Amino acid sequence: MDAYTEPLYPYEEEKEFQCAYIENMYRYFGYGMWLVFEKATNQLIGRAGLEHREYNDVVELELGYLIGRKYQGRGYAAEVCKAILAYAKEHAGFERINTLIQDGNDASIALSRKLGFEQKESYETNGKIMHRFIKKLV
């Protein structure tokens, strides 16, 4: 697994994690992370969604996603992220959305650009170089 990729948990553990997340986060914001299933097989292949992150003392909307290694490169992340961006534009109430990508994660950087994000800044945190991308929603 790549150093910049968080693991997708085994099905039961992922389901438990997401249920707890939904119970706590959705109550406050009405959105959060969703599980991603492959349509043809109903197999759990990832998670993606919206979270809040603080940048320079301002809370902003952030797009996050993880597609399991064996399902990458098939367009799933693009399909899911396009749907989430449409949802965010309609329902989240933010003027823009961010995505934060670790240096070296070229596939995610390419996807962000394909989705219309522009790189805003790069910085080091916890010994890692991170790139912040922004897309206007309005």
Side-chain angles (χ1 to χ4, degrees):
M1 176 158 303
D2 299 320
Y4 45 79
T5 303
E6 170 187 337
L8 185 62
Y9 304 119
Y11 179 81
E12 287 302 320
E13 190 177 344
E14 186 70 36
K15 182 178 174 183
E16 182 179 326
F17 172 81
Q18 289 299 324
C19 285
Y21 180 91
I22 288 167
E23 186 173 320
N24 292 298
M25 295 302 291
Y26 281 67
R27 183 178 305 148
Y28 296 110
F29 304 117
Y31 52 79
M33 298 298 280
W34 293 278
L35 294 178
V36 178
F37 292 88
E38 186 178 44
K39 290 176 188 175
T41 65
N42 203 34
Q43 178 71 35
L44 173 66
I45 64 168
R47 75 175 89 93
L50 302 169
E51 296 189 300
H52 291 182
R53 183 181 291 269
E54 195 170 302
Y55 293 101
N56 302 319
D57 298 324
V58 176
V59 174
E60 296 200 32
L61 192 62
E62 183 173 283
L63 170 67
Y65 53 90
L66 166 69
I67 300 297
R69 174 55 110 184
K70 81 180 215 179
Y71 299 98
Q72 292 176 8
R74 299 185 192 180
Y76 294 127
E79 180 182 355
V80 168
C81 289
K82 285 176 186 175
I84 292 169
L85 289 169
Y87 179 90
K89 185 174 185 173
E90 186 71 27
H91 300 287
F94 284 82
E95 292 184 11
R96 65 185 189 179
I97 187 167
N98 297 267
T99 189
L100 193 61
I101 303 170
Q102 186 174 334
D103 190 53
N105 189 343
D106 297 333
S108 283
I109 290 171
L111 175 59
S112 290
R113 290 189 172 127
K114 179 180 176 180
L115 294 170
F117 284 81
E118 295 180 9
Q119 188 168 348
K120 168 131 176 112
E121 62 188 340
S122 297
Y123 57 90
E124 186 175 342
T125 183
N126 299 324
K128 298 175 183 177
I129 302 295
M130 303 301 291
H131 303 291
R132 180 178 170 207
F133 291 79
I134 294 176
K135 176 182 175 71
K136 291 187 182 216
L137 293 174
V138 293

